[in-house]
Amino acid sequence: MDFRDAIDRSLAWAGGWFDYAATPWFVYQAAIIVSLFLVAKLAALRVEPLVENQARQIKGHPGLLRLVIALLRRTDWILFTVLLFAALNLLRAITWPSRTHLLLVVLLLSLAWLFATVLSRIIRNRLVARTLGWLAWIYAALVILGVGDEAAAFLDSLAIPLGAVRLSALMVLKAALLLVATVWLAVVTGNYIDERVRISEELTPSIRVLVGKVAKIGLVLVAGAVALSAVGLDLTALTVFSGAVGVGLAFGLQKVVSNFVSGVIILLDKSIKPGDTISLEGTFGWIRELRARFVSVVTRDGREFLIPNEDFITQRVINWSFSDNLVRLDVNFGVSYDADPHKVSELAIEAAISVGRVEADRRPVCWLTDFGDSSLNFVLRFWIRDPQQGLTNVRGKVLLALWDTFKANGISIPYPHREIIMREAGAPPRVRAGTSRSSDDPPAGRRHIK
């Protein structure tokens, strides 16, 4: 069918409907349709609140609840369709079927509109939902009214040649409709697979993330290829074009590709995973999520850093919970020379154990490390199992426990002090017998100021 034949058939179709509209039964059916629509509108005002209260009781099934609410928002159209169906069967029982043609057409259009509007409510993306809903209804309306072939011929006549490919408006419309539908279906399926994999306890966190991302990306690519092939587009004709685009993207998206590949490597080697506590370039926090381009790290102050995946490959990363969650911390302190170092060690260990987050199973240790200028220096080492809860706070609690314990047992924590020796200018130096050092030279630990 060429363009001229399509125009002739369209004019003949319009003339037939004009003649049908002049008959008395067309007027009767139009009056019935308007009356039923008003009745459905008034009934929906009473029915919708009653049914909505029952629908709100659905718990644990967000997908089902969303579908039910979408149907409730079209209660008037549902009642209108039911009334039309009843009126159509009643009229066909008492008169000729040819006198109910308008009722049948309006019934089919109402069903198509109901399907399209409910579909637009289910899809979360409003632009995609409205586009897909309108395209689906327009296509159904053309088929129902019997002008589908004429509209298809008209759209197919609007074409431009692109080498061996003939690109028509009909092909673009079909490709857009199929592409939106298949990609949306692929995304929904991918999200479902991702949710099921995330709750699986048999897989490690890294493998769960990897499987979910591969499923999403793979399904979208397959959906696009299926949609383009379904409309008759030869994918091999796009080889040269895709190669040129690939070269351009390779230069312009080096960092993006690098981060994507780095993300895949991270997931495969399991160096980091959601929940791990890490340190990277002064950033300390725990990993909340692994994305295709970056890693989300939440710090103790509530800030969320989006660190590129490449940094976890090329830079030095401290994973505090790579093999296990146990982390050893050190606290340095000093006591007076009058204290017994053996007793100090015992008291320090008891003070550390009294802190709730310190692991009692792995007993802390305390060692004398140095005879300082004014104190005996010790290091207290203890273990914790929850580094994501912070390190500074647990060190602070241990230091407070040390202070309270030492104060209760009479052990003092000295502070450094210096002696200043003043002498008059020009006074002769005094030399002590048996030593080569001048008496005016300050002893060790003293500061000499002229």
Side-chain angles (χ1 to χ4, degrees):
M1 180 189 302
D2 56 10
F3 179 71
R4 189 179 299 276
D5 293 337
I7 294 296
D8 294 338
R9 292 192 57 178
S10 299
L11 293 175
W13 172 84
W17 270 99
F18 183 78
D19 295 338
Y20 181 64
T23 61
W25 275 100
F26 181 88
V27 178
Y28 300 154
Q29 293 177 82
I32 293 174
I33 292 170
V34 173
S35 302
L36 293 179
F37 185 77
L38 294 176
V39 171
K41 280 287 187 181
L42 295 175
L45 296 177
R46 301 294 301 273
V47 174
E48 183 175 346
L50 299 176
V51 181
E52 185 173 357
N53 292 332
Q54 299 295 326
R56 294 295 181 184
Q57 299 179 3
I58 300 176
K59 305 295 183 182
H61 301 282
L64 177 61
L65 179 60
R66 189 176 181 84
L67 177 61
V68 172
I69 295 299
L71 290 172
L72 284 177
R73 294 295 177 264
R74 294 293 178 266
T75 304
D76 50 352
W77 282 98
I78 295 176
L79 294 176
F80 179 56
T81 303
V82 172
L83 293 176
L84 277 177
F85 182 77
L88 177 64
N89 286 279
L90 179 62
L91 285 178
R92 285 191 171 182
I94 61 178
T95 187
W96 300 103
S98 59
R99 296 177 176 178
T100 61
H101 183 66
L102 181 61
L103 284 174
L104 177 61
V105 171
V106 174
L107 174 62
L108 295 177
L109 289 176
S110 300
L111 287 173
W113 175 250
L114 182 61
F115 173 79
T117 52
V118 171
L119 180 64
S120 64
R121 288 279 184 173
I122 295 176
I123 301 176
R124 296 181 181 272
N125 191 309
R126 302 304 301 164
L127 178 61
V128 174
R130 292 182 181 276
T131 303
L132 189 60
W134 275 104
L135 290 177
W137 186 79
I138 291 173
Y139 176 77
L142 293 176
V143 174
I144 293 170
L145 295 175
V147 293
D149 295 337
E150 290 77 6
F154 174 74
L155 293 175
D156 188 61
S157 63
L158 305 176
I160 55 174
L162 294 176
V165 180
R166 181 178 178 272
L167 188 63
S168 64
L170 179 63
M171 179 181 292
V172 172
L173 183 61
K174 286 183 177 180
L177 184 61
L178 288 175
L179 192 61
V180 170
T182 54
V183 170
W184 174 77
L185 182 61
V187 171
V188 172
T189 306
N191 290 334
Y192 175 77
I193 295 175
D194 188 28
E195 292 177 0
R196 301 301 300 176
V197 170
R198 285 182 181 273
I199 63 177
S200 175
E201 298 181 354
E202 300 177 356
L203 302 176
T204 62
S206 299
I207 296 299
R208 296 174 197 168
V209 176
L210 179 61
V211 171
K213 293 186 182 302
V214 170
K216 288 181 179 180
I217 297 175
L219 287 173
V220 170
L221 293 177
V222 171
V226 170
L228 295 178
S229 299
V231 297
L233 184 63
D234 188 7
L235 298 181
T236 58
L238 302 177
T239 303
V240 177
F241 176 75
S242 60
V245 172
V247 173
L249 292 177
F251 285 102
L253 302 176
Q254 291 182 19
K255 285 294 183 180
V256 175
V257 175
S258 175
N259 286 317
F260 178 77
V261 174
S262 299
V264 174
I265 295 174
I266 289 173
L267 294 174
L268 290 176
D269 64 14
K270 305 175 186 178
S271 56
I272 59 174
K273 60 184 180 296
D276 280 354
T277 304
I278 61 100
S279 296
L280 175 64
E281 292 184 342
T283 301
F284 174 82
W286 60 93
I287 297 175
R288 188 182 69 86
E289 188 178 6
L290 301 177
R291 292 290 188 91
R293 189 182 62 84
F294 59 84
V295 176
S296 172
V297 178
V298 181
T299 59
R300 288 284 299 164
D301 56 3
R303 290 183 294 176
E304 188 168 0
F305 289 83
L306 307 180
I307 304 176
N309 292 328
E310 186 181 6
D311 291 352
F312 288 89
I313 300 296
T314 59
Q315 312 234 355
R316 180 177 296 181
V317 181
I318 300 176
N319 191 337
W320 295 80
S321 53
F322 179 67
S323 55
D324 56 48
N325 290 326
L326 281 173
V327 176
R328 194 190 75 180
L329 301 179
D330 296 348
V331 171
N332 297 301
F333 65 93
V335 298
S336 172
Y337 271 94
D338 296 333
D340 181 4
H342 302 285
K343 185 178 180 181
V344 170
S345 296
E346 295 175 359
L347 293 175
I349 292 174
E350 293 177 2
I353 294 177
S354 66
V355 178
R357 289 180 56 194
V358 175
E359 283 292 311
D361 296 337
R362 303 197 66 166
R363 185 176 177 81
V365 295
C366 185
W367 304 108
L368 177 64
T369 58
D370 187 23
F371 295 105
D373 292 341
S374 56
S375 65
L376 295 173
N377 297 328
F378 291 82
V379 59
L380 175 62
R381 292 173 175 170
F382 56 91
W383 297 81
I384 63 173
R385 194 177 291 274
D386 51 354
Q388 67 274 9
Q389 299 299 325
L391 306 180
T392 303
N393 53 6
V394 69
R395 283 196 180 101
K397 291 181 180 179
V398 171
L399 287 173
L400 288 175
L402 288 174
W403 175 270
D404 295 338
T405 302
F406 290 162
K407 190 174 182 179
N409 289 272
I411 297 176
S412 61
I413 300 176
Y415 52 87
H417 48 277
R418 298 286 183 265
E419 294 182 5
I420 300 176
I421 301 177
M422 308 292 294
R423 70 180 179 87
E424 296 180 0
R430 292 175 296 173
V431 180
R432 184 179 299 176
T435 179
S436 61
R437 182 175 61 85
S438 171
S439 61
D440 292 329
D441 294 338
R446 296 183 180 182
R447 180 179 302 167
H448 192 176
I449 298 178
K450 292 184 179 180

